[in-house]
mmCIF file of all heavy atoms in Angstrom:
data_model
loop_
_atom_site.group_PDB
_atom_site.id
_atom_site.type_symbol
_atom_site.label_atom_id
_atom_site.label_comp_id
_atom_site.label_asym_id
_atom_site.label_seq_id
_atom_site.Cartn_x
_atom_site.Cartn_y
_atom_site.Cartn_z
ATOM 1 N N LEU A 329 25.552 -4.640 5.310
ATOM 2 C CA LEU A 329 26.328 -5.254 4.255
ATOM 3 C C LEU A 329 27.795 -5.383 4.652
ATOM 4 O O LEU A 329 28.684 -5.587 3.777
ATOM 5 C CB LEU A 329 26.208 -4.403 2.963
ATOM 6 C CG LEU A 329 24.784 -4.310 2.395
ATOM 7 C CD1 LEU A 329 24.703 -3.259 1.265
ATOM 8 C CD2 LEU A 329 24.312 -5.664 1.902
ATOM 9 N N ALA A 330 28.065 -5.258 5.959
ATOM 10 C CA ALA A 330 29.432 -5.258 6.414
ATOM 11 C C ALA A 330 30.096 -6.587 5.997
ATOM 12 O O ALA A 330 29.510 -7.639 5.956
ATOM 13 C CB ALA A 330 29.449 -5.185 7.945
ATOM 14 N N GLY A 331 31.356 -6.429 5.595
ATOM 15 C CA GLY A 331 32.117 -7.622 5.154
ATOM 16 C C GLY A 331 32.056 -7.874 3.689
ATOM 17 O O GLY A 331 32.888 -8.641 3.111
ATOM 18 N N LEU A 332 31.087 -7.238 3.002
ATOM 19 C CA LEU A 332 30.946 -7.611 1.571
ATOM 20 C C LEU A 332 31.754 -6.667 0.649
ATOM 21 O O LEU A 332 31.986 -6.972 -0.482
ATOM 22 C CB LEU A 332 29.455 -7.501 1.139
ATOM 23 C CG LEU A 332 28.564 -8.582 1.781
ATOM 24 C CD1 LEU A 332 27.143 -8.375 1.419
ATOM 25 C CD2 LEU A 332 29.036 -9.936 1.319
ATOM 26 N N GLN A 333 32.221 -5.508 1.253
ATOM 27 C CA GLN A 333 32.836 -4.521 0.410
ATOM 28 C C GLN A 333 34.212 -5.135 -0.166
ATOM 29 O O GLN A 333 34.586 -4.693 -1.248
ATOM 30 C CB GLN A 333 33.180 -3.265 1.201
ATOM 31 C CG GLN A 333 32.002 -2.623 1.917
ATOM 32 C CD GLN A 333 31.012 -1.904 1.005
ATOM 33 O OE1 GLN A 333 31.223 -1.767 -0.179
ATOM 34 N NE2 GLN A 333 29.922 -1.345 1.605
ATOM 35 N N GLU A 334 34.777 -6.087 0.522
ATOM 36 C CA GLU A 334 36.043 -6.656 0.038
ATOM 37 C C GLU A 334 35.806 -7.679 -1.089
ATOM 38 O O GLU A 334 36.712 -8.072 -1.770
ATOM 39 C CB GLU A 334 36.802 -7.402 1.156
ATOM 40 C CG GLU A 334 37.192 -6.522 2.368
ATOM 41 C CD GLU A 334 36.182 -6.580 3.456
ATOM 42 O OE1 GLU A 334 35.927 -7.642 3.977
ATOM 43 O OE2 GLU A 334 35.605 -5.507 3.734
ATOM 44 N N HIS A 335 34.541 -8.165 -1.184
ATOM 45 C CA HIS A 335 34.199 -9.154 -2.212
ATOM 46 C C HIS A 335 34.352 -8.496 -3.634
ATOM 47 O O HIS A 335 33.732 -7.485 -3.885
ATOM 48 C CB HIS A 335 32.701 -9.486 -1.968
ATOM 49 C CG HIS A 335 32.261 -10.742 -2.668
ATOM 50 N ND1 HIS A 335 32.246 -10.874 -4.003
ATOM 51 C CD2 HIS A 335 31.742 -11.876 -2.151
ATOM 52 C CE1 HIS A 335 31.770 -12.046 -4.296
ATOM 53 N NE2 HIS A 335 31.456 -12.692 -3.182
ATOM 54 N N GLU A 336 35.191 -9.104 -4.483
ATOM 55 C CA GLU A 336 35.525 -8.376 -5.741
ATOM 56 C C GLU A 336 34.369 -8.220 -6.696
ATOM 57 O O GLU A 336 34.286 -7.340 -7.535
ATOM 58 C CB GLU A 336 36.737 -9.032 -6.424
ATOM 59 C CG GLU A 336 36.465 -10.447 -6.865
ATOM 60 C CD GLU A 336 37.624 -10.984 -7.721
ATOM 61 O OE1 GLU A 336 38.175 -10.333 -8.545
ATOM 62 O OE2 GLU A 336 38.022 -12.164 -7.396
ATOM 63 N N ASN A 337 33.337 -9.161 -6.562
ATOM 64 C CA ASN A 337 32.226 -9.045 -7.456
ATOM 65 C C ASN A 337 31.071 -8.237 -6.910
ATOM 66 O O ASN A 337 29.962 -8.230 -7.485
ATOM 67 C CB ASN A 337 31.650 -10.470 -7.731
ATOM 68 C CG ASN A 337 32.502 -11.091 -8.807
ATOM 69 O OD1 ASN A 337 33.021 -10.421 -9.700
ATOM 70 N ND2 ASN A 337 32.660 -12.393 -8.740
ATOM 71 N N PHE A 338 31.327 -7.532 -5.751
ATOM 72 C CA PHE A 338 30.217 -6.790 -5.110
ATOM 73 C C PHE A 338 30.465 -5.245 -5.303
ATOM 74 O O PHE A 338 31.612 -4.761 -5.129
ATOM 75 C CB PHE A 338 30.229 -7.115 -3.617
ATOM 76 C CG PHE A 338 29.267 -6.249 -2.839
ATOM 77 C CD1 PHE A 338 27.920 -6.594 -2.763
ATOM 78 C CD2 PHE A 338 29.697 -5.073 -2.148
ATOM 79 C CE1 PHE A 338 27.045 -5.819 -2.049
ATOM 80 C CE2 PHE A 338 28.814 -4.330 -1.407
ATOM 81 C CZ PHE A 338 27.475 -4.689 -1.353
ATOM 82 N N ARG A 339 29.397 -4.532 -5.566
ATOM 83 C CA ARG A 339 29.489 -3.072 -5.678
ATOM 84 C C ARG A 339 28.240 -2.447 -5.033
ATOM 85 O O ARG A 339 27.123 -2.906 -5.281
ATOM 86 C CB ARG A 339 29.587 -2.633 -7.157
ATOM 87 C CG ARG A 339 29.616 -1.138 -7.360
ATOM 88 C CD ARG A 339 29.733 -0.805 -8.811
ATOM 89 N NE ARG A 339 29.543 0.610 -9.037
ATOM 90 C CZ ARG A 339 29.223 1.171 -10.181
ATOM 91 N NH1 ARG A 339 29.057 0.395 -11.260
ATOM 92 N NH2 ARG A 339 29.069 2.483 -10.302
ATOM 93 N N PHE A 340 28.478 -1.409 -4.203
ATOM 94 C CA PHE A 340 27.336 -0.678 -3.683
ATOM 95 C C PHE A 340 27.240 0.692 -4.298
ATOM 96 O O PHE A 340 28.239 1.418 -4.425
ATOM 97 C CB PHE A 340 27.489 -0.484 -2.132
ATOM 98 C CG PHE A 340 26.358 0.304 -1.572
ATOM 99 C CD1 PHE A 340 25.141 -0.290 -1.251
ATOM 100 C CD2 PHE A 340 26.505 1.664 -1.353
ATOM 101 C CE1 PHE A 340 24.079 0.461 -0.785
ATOM 102 C CE2 PHE A 340 25.422 2.420 -0.860
ATOM 103 C CZ PHE A 340 24.237 1.837 -0.594
ATOM 104 N N VAL A 341 26.046 1.074 -4.683
ATOM 105 C CA VAL A 341 25.766 2.392 -5.271
ATOM 106 C C VAL A 341 24.654 3.042 -4.476
ATOM 107 O O VAL A 341 23.560 2.482 -4.340
ATOM 108 C CB VAL A 341 25.370 2.334 -6.760
ATOM 109 C CG1 VAL A 341 25.076 3.688 -7.322
ATOM 110 C CG2 VAL A 341 26.469 1.629 -7.558
ATOM 111 N N GLN A 342 24.911 4.241 -3.924
ATOM 112 C CA GLN A 342 23.805 4.956 -3.272
ATOM 113 C C GLN A 342 23.030 5.718 -4.344
ATOM 114 O O GLN A 342 23.604 6.564 -5.061
ATOM 115 C CB GLN A 342 24.322 5.933 -2.235
ATOM 116 C CG GLN A 342 23.185 6.620 -1.482
ATOM 117 C CD GLN A 342 23.637 7.407 -0.253
ATOM 118 O OE1 GLN A 342 24.830 7.444 0.084
ATOM 119 N NE2 GLN A 342 22.658 7.998 0.425
ATOM 120 N N GLY A 343 21.729 5.412 -4.440
ATOM 121 C CA GLY A 343 20.942 6.133 -5.470
ATOM 122 C C GLY A 343 19.454 5.740 -5.337
ATOM 123 O O GLY A 343 19.142 4.781 -4.648
ATOM 124 N N ASN A 344 18.657 6.488 -6.021
ATOM 125 C CA ASN A 344 17.213 6.357 -5.880
ATOM 126 C C ASN A 344 16.648 5.622 -7.111
ATOM 127 O O ASN A 344 17.000 5.938 -8.277
ATOM 128 C CB ASN A 344 16.587 7.756 -5.803
ATOM 129 C CG ASN A 344 15.170 7.719 -5.270
ATOM 130 O OD1 ASN A 344 14.306 6.989 -5.774
ATOM 131 N ND2 ASN A 344 14.928 8.500 -4.229
ATOM 132 N N ILE A 345 15.687 4.695 -6.875
ATOM 133 C CA ILE A 345 15.118 3.994 -8.070
ATOM 134 C C ILE A 345 14.204 4.886 -8.894
ATOM 135 O O ILE A 345 13.778 4.461 -9.940
ATOM 136 C CB ILE A 345 14.262 2.749 -7.572
ATOM 137 C CG1 ILE A 345 13.195 3.076 -6.574
ATOM 138 C CG2 ILE A 345 15.212 1.693 -7.029
ATOM 139 C CD1 ILE A 345 12.158 1.978 -6.393
ATOM 140 N N CYS A 346 13.955 6.085 -8.422
ATOM 141 C CA CYS A 346 13.160 7.007 -9.263
ATOM 142 C C CYS A 346 14.071 7.811 -10.221
ATOM 143 O O CYS A 346 13.617 8.578 -11.053
ATOM 144 C CB CYS A 346 12.402 7.991 -8.420
ATOM 145 S SG CYS A 346 11.169 7.213 -7.340
ATOM 146 N N ASP A 347 15.390 7.629 -10.057
ATOM 147 C CA ASP A 347 16.351 8.374 -10.875
ATOM 148 C C ASP A 347 16.726 7.557 -12.124
ATOM 149 O O ASP A 347 17.600 6.705 -12.082
ATOM 150 C CB ASP A 347 17.574 8.667 -9.993
ATOM 151 C CG ASP A 347 18.685 9.414 -10.755
ATOM 152 O OD1 ASP A 347 18.509 9.619 -11.956
ATOM 153 O OD2 ASP A 347 19.691 9.673 -10.108
ATOM 154 N N ARG A 348 16.116 7.886 -13.230
ATOM 155 C CA ARG A 348 16.222 7.090 -14.442
ATOM 156 C C ARG A 348 17.652 7.051 -14.995
ATOM 157 O O ARG A 348 18.146 5.995 -15.435
ATOM 158 C CB ARG A 348 15.265 7.646 -15.543
ATOM 159 C CG ARG A 348 15.269 6.988 -16.855
ATOM 160 C CD ARG A 348 14.760 5.533 -16.796
ATOM 161 N NE ARG A 348 15.055 4.879 -18.036
ATOM 162 C CZ ARG A 348 14.257 4.844 -19.095
ATOM 163 N NH1 ARG A 348 13.079 5.398 -19.002
ATOM 164 N NH2 ARG A 348 14.612 4.240 -20.180
ATOM 165 N N SER A 349 18.373 8.157 -14.927
ATOM 166 C CA SER A 349 19.701 8.123 -15.548
ATOM 167 C C SER A 349 20.649 7.277 -14.785
ATOM 168 O O SER A 349 21.491 6.509 -15.359
ATOM 169 C CB SER A 349 20.252 9.554 -15.709
ATOM 170 O OG SER A 349 20.374 10.149 -14.487
ATOM 171 N N THR A 350 20.572 7.255 -13.455
ATOM 172 C CA THR A 350 21.383 6.352 -12.614
ATOM 173 C C THR A 350 21.105 4.870 -13.064
ATOM 174 O O THR A 350 22.024 4.105 -13.211
ATOM 175 C CB THR A 350 21.051 6.533 -11.103
ATOM 176 O OG1 THR A 350 21.398 7.856 -10.740
ATOM 177 C CG2 THR A 350 21.853 5.574 -10.267
#
Side-chain angles (χ1 to χ4, degrees):
L329 298 171
L332 293 175
Q333 309 284 359
E334 300 92 62
H335 194 298
E336 63 175 315
N337 278 329
F338 174 85
R339 177 180 170 199
F340 177 81
V341 177
Q342 182 169 1
N344 196 308
I345 56 165
C346 298
D347 177 357
R348 177 68 191 269
S349 61
T350 297

